[in-house]
Amino acid sequence: MPDNKNLAQILLDKGKLSKENFEKIRLESLSSGKAPEKIIEENSYATDDDLVQAKGELYNIPYISLFEKGVAPEALKFIPRQVAERFTIIPFAYEEKENVLSLAMANPLDLETIEFAERKSGCKIKVFIAPKSAIEKSISERYSQNLSAEVTEALKETTLENKTIDIKRLGEVIREAPIAKIVSTILEFAMRSRASDIHIEPEEDKTRVRYRIDGILHEKLILPKNVHEALISRIKILSDLKIDEKRIPQDGRFNFRADDMEVDLRVSTLPTVHGEKVVMRLLKKSGKIPTLPELGLRGQALRNLDDAILRPHGIILVCGPTGSGKTTTLYSVLSKINLVKVNIVTIEDPVEYKIAGVNQVQINPQAGLTFAAGLRAFLRQDPNVVMVGEIRDRETTDLAIQASLTGHLVFSTLHTKSSAQALPRLLDMNAEPFLLASSVTCIMAQRICRRICQECKEEVPPSAEVEADFKNVLGKLYPEGKKPVLAKGKGCETCNGTGYLGRIGIFEVLPVSEKISRLILERAPAIDIEKQACEEGMVTMKQDGYLKVLEQVTTLEEVLRVAQD
């Protein structure tokens, strides 16, 4: 067996252990005779995950992250739940041709357990190492889903073909079928785990199910390839799509209720080389629209945005890449100004949330209803406030400017990295500088970071390099006088072992002042506009993120993941 003392060395080499703690472990091990692993665990010098990965490297056993890896339901039937709980093991994959069962173990050196698992399953065992907590969580989660029986049943009826289904019996058929049970289990799990999207993806020899939770995709389930077509057909029946049309993408929607929650699902199919891929976007019907402070806006940025909203006319732009929460921010703003005396019209692609008292229009390019056509029609509808889902072309830009100049308040989104880049982008769309300077009143850019889980949050002192980075990025905003203490989530049952739960926005709000108007007229580059805005007190997105890291709301890794240039 390898020398345990190498464990600390591996952690040091990987940057998971400081030199100071490495020396402490070495000295304590020499004086007390304790194994380094025991010392590391007792003093929490490294996370469970890091320790297990280092053990895997030490013993030359592959590490598996059960939070990221899907579990094949047919693998679970080889090892009963009682056995899995007793030995802290979980089977997660099965290769039928080779008769190989992949097994995650907390103690992969336990040869008796491996031998017992081989006898019990009748398979060759391929061993992987995983943290004990992750295996225990996976056992309770996967066995309670218990999809293996449904998958076995579904294999017997692998295709729906073109059966004639009486519309009166449709609900009955969908409820009875084993495939329907798989679909409802997939949806229920998505709702329980707060997923925003479900990806059902065909591969050469399997179908994998991934969930987007807090903006990150997690693989949670592996299904046999044989059930793929039947699975997609069920979803198509629910979404009112053509079952026999597999050559072109289709879009549909349906509602799903579980317990007290109801979600609206937007379904999109896409033909791929291995079959049709389905993505379902979950939109909570009961979910209330958050306020601007709840999203993470505060201080001067919130005041600047509020000032722009209270003006009777002008253009307010929200910038950021896809999935950065622009639409949610616009809905928050609209909810704030949604009064009986205000006529609000929106044109969106698609309408994500329905707001009572707001006239919402979905674009339909096939019928000729584009953003530009809708915006043109809106101006004859006596609106006070107009929201355009996205400014994509010159025509929409011109119409938005005209609407603001004729006394309307216009909201829209733009795909740019920062708020300052929005102005040169609009100039690229041939907008006249003098019209832009007089119509655009405020530009906001944003990203979404994951929040630290409060249940397993722990404080982490920053290194000297990190502290220097904070001082450099924050400048005058850096709180002098006290040493900053950062935080991170260790990973627990509540947050699915990720260390994060929920999300928070980071923002920069650029009000168009007199000096910035002058820069627009001069067609100044984005860097000059940003410099001027910062001189006038704008907090950049990165600075806002760093401040939220100092407040222990999120982590530095998250801010750099979404806001690093």
Side-chain angles (χ1 to χ4, degrees), residues 352-369:
E352 289 195 18
Y353 294 99
K354 295 180 178 71
I355 312 172
V358 175
N359 307 289
Q360 293 170 277
V361 177
Q362 166 110 21
I363 73 160
N364 186 349
Q366 287 88 356
L369 180 52

Side-chain angles (χ1 to χ4, degrees), residues 268-284:
S268 167
T269 72
L270 182 74
T272 72
V273 289
H274 296 304
E276 282 184 286
K277 174 183 172 174
V278 165
V279 174
M280 294 185 275
R281 164 69 56 94
L282 284 80
L283 301 167
K284 278 185 199 165

